[in-house]
Coordinates of all heavy atoms in Angstrom, one line a residue:
M1 N -15.0 40.5 -4.0 CA -16.1 39.6 -4.3 C -16.6 40.0 -5.6 O -16.7 41.2 -6.0 CB -17.1 39.9 -3.2 CG -18.3 39.0 -3.4 SD -19.7 39.3 -2.2 CE -18.8 39.0 -0.7
S2 N -16.9 39.0 -6.4 CA -17.4 39.2 -7.8 C -18.7 38.4 -7.9 O -18.9 37.4 -7.3 CB -16.4 38.8 -8.9 OG -16.2 37.4 -8.8
F3 N -19.6 38.8 -8.9 CA -20.8 38.3 -9.1 C -20.9 37.9 -10.6 O -20.4 38.7 -11.4 CB -22.0 39.1 -8.7 CG -22.0 39.4 -7.2 CD1 -21.4 40.5 -6.7 CD2 -22.7 38.6 -6.4 CE1 -21.4 40.7 -5.3 CE2 -22.7 38.8 -5.0 CZ -22.1 39.9 -4.5
Q4 N -21.7 36.9 -10.9 CA -21.9 36.5 -12.3 C -23.4 36.1 -12.5 O -23.8 35.3 -11.7 CB -20.9 35.4 -12.8 CG -21.0 35.1 -14.2 CD -19.9 34.0 -14.5 OE1 -19.3 33.4 -13.6 NE2 -19.8 33.6 -15.8
S5 N -24.0 36.6 -13.5 CA -25.4 36.2 -13.8 C -25.3 35.1 -14.9 O -24.5 35.2 -15.9 CB -26.1 37.4 -14.3 OG -27.4 37.0 -14.6
A6 N -26.1 34.1 -14.8 CA -26.1 32.9 -15.7 C -27.4 32.2 -15.7 O -28.1 32.3 -14.7 CB -24.9 32.0 -15.5
D7 N -27.6 31.4 -16.7 CA -28.7 30.4 -16.7 C -28.4 29.3 -15.7 O -27.4 28.6 -15.9 CB -28.9 29.9 -18.1 CG -30.1 29.0 -18.3 OD1 -30.6 28.4 -17.3 OD2 -30.7 29.0 -19.4
V8 N -29.3 29.1 -14.8 CA -29.0 28.1 -13.7 C -28.9 26.7 -14.3 O -28.4 25.7 -13.7 CB -30.0 28.2 -12.6 CG1 -31.4 27.7 -12.9 CG2 -29.5 27.5 -11.3
R9 N -29.5 26.5 -15.5 CA -29.4 25.1 -16.1 C -28.1 24.9 -16.7 O -27.7 23.7 -17.0 CB -30.5 25.0 -17.2 CG -31.9 25.1 -16.5 CD -32.9 25.2 -17.6 NE -32.7 26.5 -18.2 CZ -33.6 27.1 -19.0 NH1 -34.7 26.4 -19.4 NH2 -33.4 28.3 -19.6
R10 N -27.3 25.9 -17.1 CA -26.0 25.8 -17.7 C -25.1 26.8 -17.1 O -24.8 27.8 -17.7 CB -26.1 26.0 -19.2 CG -26.9 24.9 -19.9 CD -27.1 25.2 -21.4 NE -28.0 26.3 -21.7 CZ -29.3 26.3 -21.6 NH1 -29.9 25.2 -21.2 NH2 -30.0 27.4 -21.8
L11 N -24.6 26.5 -15.9 CA -23.7 27.5 -15.3 C -22.3 27.4 -15.9 O -21.8 26.3 -16.1 CB -23.6 27.2 -13.8 CG -24.9 27.4 -13.0 CD1 -24.8 26.8 -11.6 CD2 -25.3 28.8 -13.0
P12 N -21.6 28.5 -16.3 CA -20.5 28.5 -17.0 C -19.2 28.3 -16.2 O -18.1 28.1 -16.8 CB -20.4 29.9 -17.7 CG -21.1 30.8 -16.6 CD -22.2 29.9 -16.1
S13 N -19.2 28.3 -15.0 CA -18.0 28.2 -14.2 C -17.3 26.9 -14.2 O -17.9 25.9 -14.0 CB -18.4 28.6 -12.7 OG -17.2 28.6 -12.0
R14 N -16.1 27.0 -14.5 CA -15.2 25.7 -14.4 C -14.4 25.8 -13.1 O -13.8 24.9 -12.7 CB -14.3 25.6 -15.5 CG -14.9 25.2 -16.9 CD -13.8 24.9 -17.9 NE -14.2 24.2 -19.0 CZ -15.2 24.3 -19.9 NH1 -16.2 25.2 -19.6 NH2 -15.4 23.6 -20.9
T15 N -14.5 26.9 -12.4 CA -13.8 27.1 -11.1 C -14.8 27.1 -10.1 O -15.9 27.5 -10.2 CB -13.0 28.4 -11.1 OG1 -13.9 29.5 -11.2 CG2 -11.9 28.4 -12.1
A16 N -14.5 26.6 -8.9 CA -15.3 26.5 -7.8 C -15.8 27.8 -7.2 O -15.0 28.8 -7.2 CB -14.7 25.7 -6.7
R17 N -17.0 27.9 -6.9 CA -17.7 29.1 -6.4 C -18.0 28.9 -4.9 O -18.3 27.8 -4.4 CB -19.0 29.4 -7.1 CG -18.8 29.7 -8.6 CD -18.1 31.0 -8.8 NE -17.9 31.2 -10.2 CZ -17.2 32.2 -10.7 NH1 -16.7 33.2 -9.9 NH2 -17.1 32.4 -12.0
G18 N -17.9 30.1 -4.1 CA -18.2 29.9 -2.7 C -19.7 30.0 -2.4 O -20.2 29.6 -1.4
G19 N -20.5 30.5 -3.4 CA -21.9 30.5 -3.2 C -22.7 30.7 -4.5 O -22.1 31.2 -5.5
V20 N -24.0 30.3 -4.5 CA -24.9 30.5 -5.6 C -26.1 31.1 -5.0 O -26.7 30.6 -4.0 CB -25.2 29.2 -6.3 CG1 -26.3 29.3 -7.4 CG2 -23.9 28.6 -7.0
L21 N -26.7 32.1 -5.7 CA -27.9 32.7 -5.3 C -29.0 32.4 -6.4 O -28.8 32.7 -7.6 CB -27.8 34.3 -5.3 CG -29.0 35.1 -5.0 CD1 -29.6 34.8 -3.7 CD2 -28.7 36.5 -5.2
A22 N -30.0 31.7 -6.0 CA -31.1 31.3 -6.9 C -32.3 32.0 -6.4 O -33.1 31.5 -5.7 CB -31.3 29.8 -6.9
W23 N -32.5 33.3 -6.8 CA -33.5 34.1 -6.2 C -34.7 34.2 -7.1 O -34.7 34.8 -8.2 CB -32.9 35.6 -6.0 CG -33.7 36.3 -5.0 CD1 -34.5 37.4 -5.2 CD2 -33.7 36.1 -3.6 NE1 -35.0 37.8 -4.1 CE2 -34.6 37.1 -3.0 CE3 -33.1 35.1 -2.8 CZ2 -34.8 37.1 -1.6 CZ3 -33.4 35.2 -1.4 CH2 -34.3 36.1 -0.9
F24 N -35.8 33.5 -6.7 CA -37.0 33.4 -7.5 C -36.8 32.9 -8.9 O -37.4 33.3 -9.9 CB -37.7 34.8 -7.5 CG -38.3 35.2 -6.2 CD1 -37.6 36.0 -5.3 CD2 -39.6 34.8 -5.8 CE1 -38.1 36.3 -4.1 CE2 -40.1 35.1 -4.7 CZ -39.3 35.9 -3.8
S25 N -35.9 31.9 -9.1 CA -35.6 31.4 -10.3 C -36.0 29.9 -10.5 O -36.5 29.5 -11.5 CB -34.1 31.5 -10.7 OG -33.3 30.9 -9.6
L26 N -35.9 29.2 -9.4 CA -36.2 27.7 -9.5 C -37.7 27.5 -9.7 O -38.2 26.5 -10.2 CB -35.7 27.0 -8.2 CG -34.2 27.0 -8.0 CD1 -33.9 26.3 -6.7 CD2 -33.4 26.6 -9.2
I27 N -38.5 28.5 -9.3 CA -40.0 28.3 -9.4 C -40.5 28.3 -10.8 O -41.5 27.9 -11.1 CB -40.7 29.4 -8.6 CG1 -40.4 30.8 -9.2 CG2 -40.4 29.3 -7.1 CD1 -41.3 31.9 -8.6
H28 N -39.6 28.8 -11.7 CA -39.9 28.9 -13.1 C -39.6 27.6 -13.9 O -39.8 27.5 -15.1 CB -39.3 30.1 -13.8 CG -39.7 31.4 -13.1 ND1 -41.0 31.9 -13.4 CD2 -39.1 32.2 -12.3 CE1 -41.1 33.0 -12.7 NE2 -40.0 33.3 -12.1
L29 N -38.9 26.7 -13.2 CA -38.5 25.4 -13.9 C -39.6 24.4 -13.9 O -40.5 24.4 -13.0 CB -37.3 24.8 -13.2 CG -36.1 25.7 -13.1 CD1 -35.0 25.0 -12.2 CD2 -35.5 25.8 -14.5
D30 N -39.6 23.5 -14.8 CA -40.5 22.3 -14.8 C -40.0 21.5 -13.6 O -38.8 21.3 -13.5 CB -40.3 21.6 -16.1 CG -41.3 20.5 -16.3 OD1 -41.5 19.7 -15.3 OD2 -41.9 20.4 -17.4
P31 N -40.9 21.0 -12.8 CA -40.4 20.2 -11.6 C -39.5 19.1 -11.9 O -38.6 18.7 -11.1 CB -41.8 19.7 -11.1 CG -42.8 20.7 -11.5 CD -42.3 21.2 -12.9
V32 N -39.6 18.5 -13.1 CA -38.8 17.3 -13.4 C -37.3 17.8 -13.7 O -36.4 17.0 -13.7 CB -39.3 16.5 -14.6 CG1 -40.7 15.9 -14.3 CG2 -39.4 17.3 -15.9
D33 N -37.1 19.1 -13.9 CA -35.8 19.6 -14.2 C -35.0 20.1 -12.9 O -33.9 20.3 -13.0 CB -35.9 20.8 -15.2 CG -36.3 20.4 -16.5 OD1 -36.1 19.2 -16.9 OD2 -37.0 21.2 -17.2
V34 N -35.7 20.2 -11.8 CA -35.1 20.8 -10.6 C -33.9 19.9 -10.1 O -32.9 20.5 -9.7 CB -36.2 20.9 -9.5 CG1 -35.5 21.3 -8.1 CG2 -37.3 22.0 -9.9
R35 N -34.1 18.6 -10.2 CA -32.9 17.7 -9.7 C -31.6 18.0 -10.5 O -30.6 18.1 -10.0 CB -33.3 16.3 -9.8 CG -32.3 15.4 -9.3 CD -32.7 14.0 -9.2 NE -33.8 13.9 -8.3 CZ -33.9 13.0 -7.3 NH1 -33.0 12.0 -7.3 NH2 -34.8 12.9 -6.5
A36 N -31.8 18.1 -11.8 CA -30.6 18.3 -12.7 C -30.0 19.8 -12.4 O -28.8 19.9 -12.4 CB -31.0 18.2 -14.2
V37 N -30.9 20.7 -12.2 CA -30.4 22.1 -11.9 C -29.6 22.1 -10.6 O -28.6 22.7 -10.5 CB -31.6 23.1 -11.9 CG1 -31.2 24.4 -11.2 CG2 -32.1 23.3 -13.3
L38 N -30.2 21.4 -9.5 CA -29.5 21.4 -8.3 C -28.1 20.6 -8.4 O -27.2 21.0 -7.8 CB -30.3 20.8 -7.2 CG -31.5 21.7 -6.8 CD1 -32.4 20.9 -5.8 CD2 -31.1 23.0 -6.3
A39 N -28.1 19.6 -9.3 CA -26.8 19.0 -9.6 C -25.8 19.9 -10.2 O -24.6 19.9 -10.0 CB -27.0 17.7 -10.4
E40 N -26.3 20.8 -11.1 CA -25.5 21.8 -11.8 C -25.0 22.8 -10.8 O -23.8 23.2 -10.8 CB -26.3 22.5 -12.9 CG -25.6 23.5 -13.6 CD -24.4 23.0 -14.6 OE1 -24.1 21.8 -14.6 OE2 -23.8 23.8 -15.2
V41 N -25.8 23.2 -9.9 CA -25.3 24.1 -8.8 C -24.2 23.4 -8.0 O -23.2 24.0 -7.6 CB -26.5 24.6 -7.9 CG1 -26.0 25.2 -6.7 CG2 -27.4 25.4 -8.7
H42 N -24.5 22.2 -7.6 CA -23.5 21.4 -6.8 C -22.2 21.3 -7.6 O -21.1 21.4 -6.9 CB -24.1 20.0 -6.5 CG -23.2 19.2 -5.7 ND1 -22.3 18.2 -6.2 CD2 -23.0 19.2 -4.4 CE1 -21.6 17.7 -5.3 NE2 -22.0 18.2 -4.1
R43 N -22.2 21.2 -8.9 CA -21.0 21.0 -9.7 C -20.1 22.2 -9.5 O -18.9 22.2 -9.4 CB -21.4 20.9 -11.1 CG -20.2 20.7 -12.1 CD -20.6 20.7 -13.5 NE -21.1 22.0 -14.0 CZ -20.4 23.0 -14.4 NH1 -19.1 23.0 -14.4 NH2 -21.0 24.1 -14.9
V44 N -20.7 23.4 -9.4 CA -19.9 24.7 -9.4 C -19.5 25.2 -8.0 O -18.7 26.1 -7.8 CB -20.5 25.8 -10.2 CG1 -20.8 25.4 -11.6 CG2 -21.8 26.3 -9.6
L45 N -20.2 24.6 -7.0 CA -19.9 25.0 -5.6 C -18.6 24.5 -5.1 O -18.3 23.2 -5.3 CB -21.0 24.6 -4.7 CG -22.3 25.4 -4.7 CD1 -23.3 24.8 -3.7 CD2 -22.0 26.9 -4.3
A46 N -17.8 25.3 -4.5 CA -16.6 24.8 -3.8 C -17.0 24.0 -2.6 O -18.1 24.1 -2.1 CB -15.8 26.0 -3.3
P47 N -16.1 23.2 -2.1 CA -16.4 22.4 -0.8 C -16.8 23.4 0.3 O -16.1 24.4 0.5 CB -15.1 21.7 -0.6 CG -14.5 21.5 -1.9 CD -14.8 22.8 -2.6
G48 N -17.9 23.2 0.9 CA -18.4 24.1 1.9 C -19.1 25.3 1.4 O -19.6 26.1 2.1
G49 N -19.3 25.4 0.0 CA -20.0 26.4 -0.6 C -21.5 26.4 -0.2 O -22.0 25.4 0.3
R50 N -22.2 27.5 -0.4 CA -23.6 27.6 0.0 C -24.5 28.1 -1.2 O -24.0 28.7 -2.1 CB -23.7 28.6 1.1 CG -22.8 28.2 2.3 CD -23.3 28.7 3.5 NE -22.4 28.2 4.5 CZ -22.6 28.3 5.8 NH1 -23.7 28.9 6.2 NH2 -21.8 27.8 6.6
I51 N -25.7 27.7 -1.1 CA -26.7 28.1 -2.0 C -27.8 28.8 -1.3 O -28.2 28.3 -0.2 CB -27.3 27.0 -2.8 CG1 -28.4 27.5 -3.9 CG2 -27.8 25.9 -2.0 CD1 -28.9 26.5 -4.9
L52 N -28.2 30.0 -1.8 CA -29.4 30.7 -1.1 C -30.5 30.7 -2.2 O -30.3 31.2 -3.3 CB -29.0 32.1 -0.8 CG -30.1 33.0 -0.3 CD1 -30.7 32.5 1.0 CD2 -29.6 34.4 -0.1
I53 N -31.6 30.1 -1.8 CA -32.8 29.9 -2.6 C -33.9 30.8 -2.1 O -34.2 30.7 -0.9 CB -33.2 28.5 -2.7 CG1 -32.1 27.5 -3.2 CG2 -34.5 28.3 -3.6 CD1 -32.4 26.0 -3.2
G54 N -34.4 31.7 -3.0 CA -35.4 32.5 -2.6 C -36.7 32.1 -3.4 O -36.6 31.8 -4.6
F55 N -37.8 32.1 -2.7 CA -39.1 31.8 -3.3 C -40.3 32.3 -2.5 O -40.0 32.7 -1.4 CB -39.2 30.3 -3.6 CG -39.2 29.4 -2.4 CD1 -40.4 29.1 -1.7 CD2 -38.0 29.0 -1.9 CE1 -40.3 28.3 -0.5 CE2 -37.9 28.2 -0.8 CZ -39.1 27.9 -0.1
F56 N -41.4 32.3 -3.0 CA -42.6 32.6 -2.2 C -43.5 31.5 -2.0 O -43.4 30.5 -2.7 CB -43.3 33.8 -2.8 CG -43.9 33.5 -4.2 CD1 -45.1 32.8 -4.4 CD2 -43.1 33.8 -5.4 CE1 -45.6 32.6 -5.6 CE2 -43.6 33.5 -6.6 CZ -44.9 32.9 -6.8
A57 N -44.2 31.6 -1.0 CA -45.2 30.5 -0.6 C -46.6 31.1 -0.5 O -46.7 32.1 0.1 CB -44.8 29.8 0.6
V58 N -47.5 30.6 -1.3 CA -48.9 31.1 -1.2 C -49.8 29.9 -1.0 O -49.5 28.8 -1.4 CB -49.3 31.9 -2.4 CG1 -48.5 33.2 -2.6 CG2 -49.2 31.1 -3.7
K59 N -51.0 30.2 -0.5 CA -52.0 29.2 -0.5 C -52.7 29.2 -1.8 O -53.2 30.2 -2.3 CB -53.1 29.5 0.6 CG -54.1 28.5 0.8 CD -55.1 28.8 1.9 CE -56.2 27.9 2.0 NZ -57.2 28.2 3.0
V60 N -52.6 28.0 -2.4 CA -53.1 27.9 -3.8 C -54.6 27.6 -3.8 O -55.0 26.6 -3.2 CB -52.3 26.8 -4.6 CG1 -53.0 26.7 -6.0 CG2 -50.9 27.2 -4.7
T61 N -55.4 28.5 -4.4 CA -56.8 28.3 -4.5 C -57.2 28.6 -5.9 O -56.4 29.1 -6.7 CB -57.6 29.2 -3.5 OG1 -57.4 30.6 -4.0 CG2 -57.1 29.1 -2.1
N62 N -58.4 28.4 -6.2 CA -58.9 28.7 -7.6 C -59.0 30.1 -7.8 O -58.9 30.6 -9.0 CB -60.3 28.1 -7.9 CG -60.2 26.6 -8.0 OD1 -59.2 26.0 -8.4 ND2 -61.3 25.9 -7.6
R63 N -59.0 31.0 -6.8 CA -59.0 32.4 -6.9 C -57.7 33.1 -6.8 O -57.6 34.3 -7.0 CB -60.0 33.0 -5.9 CG -61.4 32.5 -6.1 CD -62.3 33.1 -5.0 NE -61.7 32.5 -3.7 CZ -62.4 32.5 -2.6 NH1 -63.6 32.9 -2.6 NH2 -61.9 32.0 -1.5
C64 N -56.7 32.4 -6.5 CA -55.4 32.9 -6.3 C -54.7 33.4 -7.6 O -54.5 32.6 -8.6 CB -54.4 31.9 -5.6 SG -52.7 32.6 -5.4
P65 N -54.4 34.7 -7.8 CA -53.8 35.2 -9.0 C -52.4 34.6 -9.3 O -51.9 34.7 -10.4 CB -53.8 36.6 -8.9 CG -53.7 36.9 -7.4 CD -54.5 35.7 -6.8
L66 N -51.8 34.1 -8.3 CA -50.4 33.5 -8.5 C -50.5 32.0 -8.7 O -49.4 31.4 -8.6 CB -49.6 33.8 -7.3 CG -49.4 35.3 -7.0 CD1 -48.7 35.5 -5.7 CD2 -48.6 36.0 -8.1
R67 N -51.6 31.4 -9.0 CA -51.7 30.0 -9.2 C -50.8 29.5 -10.3 O -50.9 30.1 -11.4 CB -53.1 29.6 -9.4 CG -53.4 28.1 -9.4 CD -54.8 27.8 -9.6 NE -54.9 26.4 -9.5 CZ -56.0 25.7 -9.7 NH1 -57.1 26.4 -10.2 NH2 -56.1 24.4 -9.6
I68 N -50.1 28.5 -10.1 CA -49.1 28.0 -11.1 C -49.5 26.5 -11.3 O -49.6 25.8 -10.3 CB -47.7 28.0 -10.6 CG1 -47.3 29.5 -10.4 CG2 -46.8 27.3 -11.6 CD1 -45.9 29.7 -9.7
R69 N -49.7 26.1 -12.5 CA -50.0 24.7 -12.8 C -48.8 24.2 -13.5 O -48.4 24.6 -14.6 CB -51.2 24.6 -13.7 CG -52.5 24.9 -13.0 CD -53.7 24.6 -13.9 NE -54.9 24.8 -13.1 CZ -56.0 24.3 -13.4 NH1 -56.1 23.5 -14.5 NH2 -57.1 24.5 -12.7
W70 N -48.1 23.2 -12.9 CA -47.0 22.6 -13.5 C -47.5 21.4 -14.3 O -48.3 20.6 -13.8 CB -46.0 22.1 -12.4 CG -45.2 23.3 -11.9 CD1 -45.2 24.5 -12.4 CD2 -44.3 23.2 -10.8 NE1 -44.3 25.3 -11.6 CE2 -43.7 24.5 -10.7 CE3 -43.8 22.2 -10.0 CZ2 -42.8 24.8 -9.7 CZ3 -42.9 22.5 -9.0 CH2 -42.4 23.8 -8.9
R71 N -47.0 21.2 -15.4 CA -47.3 20.1 -16.3 C -46.2 19.0 -16.2 O -45.1 19.3 -16.2 CB -47.5 20.5 -17.7 CG -48.7 21.4 -17.9 CD -48.8 21.8 -19.4 NE -47.5 22.4 -19.8 CZ -47.1 22.5 -21.0 NH1 -47.9 22.0 -22.0 NH2 -46.0 23.1 -21.3
R72 N -46.7 17.8 -16.1 CA -45.7 16.7 -16.1 C -45.5 16.4 -17.6 O -46.3 16.4 -18.4 CB -46.2 15.5 -15.4 CG -46.3 15.7 -13.9 CD -46.9 14.4 -13.3 NE -47.1 14.7 -11.9 CZ -46.3 14.2 -10.9 NH1 -45.3 13.5 -11.2 NH2 -46.6 14.5 -9.7
R73 N -44.2 16.1 -17.9 CA -43.9 15.8 -19.3 C -44.7 14.5 -19.7 O -44.8 13.6 -19.0 CB -42.3 15.5 -19.4 CG -41.6 16.7 -19.3 CD -40.2 16.5 -19.7 NE -39.4 17.7 -19.5 CZ -38.2 17.8 -19.5 NH1 -37.4 16.7 -19.5 NH2 -37.5 19.0 -19.4
G74 N -45.1 14.6 -21.0 CA -45.8 13.5 -21.5 C -47.3 13.4 -21.2 O -48.0 12.7 -21.8
R75 N -47.8 14.3 -20.4 CA -49.2 14.3 -20.1 C -50.0 15.4 -20.9 O -51.2 15.3 -21.1 CB -49.5 14.6 -18.7 CG -49.0 13.5 -17.8 CD -49.7 13.4 -16.5 NE -49.2 12.3 -15.8 CZ -49.6 12.0 -14.6 NH1 -50.4 12.8 -13.9 NH2 -49.1 11.0 -13.9
G76 N -49.3 16.4 -21.4 CA -49.8 17.3 -22.4 C -51.1 18.1 -21.9 O -51.8 18.6 -22.7
R77 N -51.2 18.3 -20.6 CA -52.3 19.1 -20.2 C -52.0 20.6 -20.1 O -51.0 21.0 -19.9 CB -52.7 18.7 -18.8 CG -53.4 17.4 -18.7 CD -54.1 17.4 -17.5 NE -54.4 16.1 -16.9 CZ -54.4 15.8 -15.6 NH1 -53.9 16.7 -14.7 NH2 -54.7 14.7 -15.1

């Protein structure tokens, strides 16, 4: 078994992979980019391949130190 680390937006593999681990990485993407990233993962997965996505879930409040505000493109907020 071998492992390779790469930018999930530009996976280098031209050969099919049995699995992709996206551990706490998708949460750092702009929400509008997630669909393209998942398409990139699909491109490198072998038929029947699997993806394991790790993330955390928190209740978002004004006092939550992990609060993330995603900006939509073109809104400039």
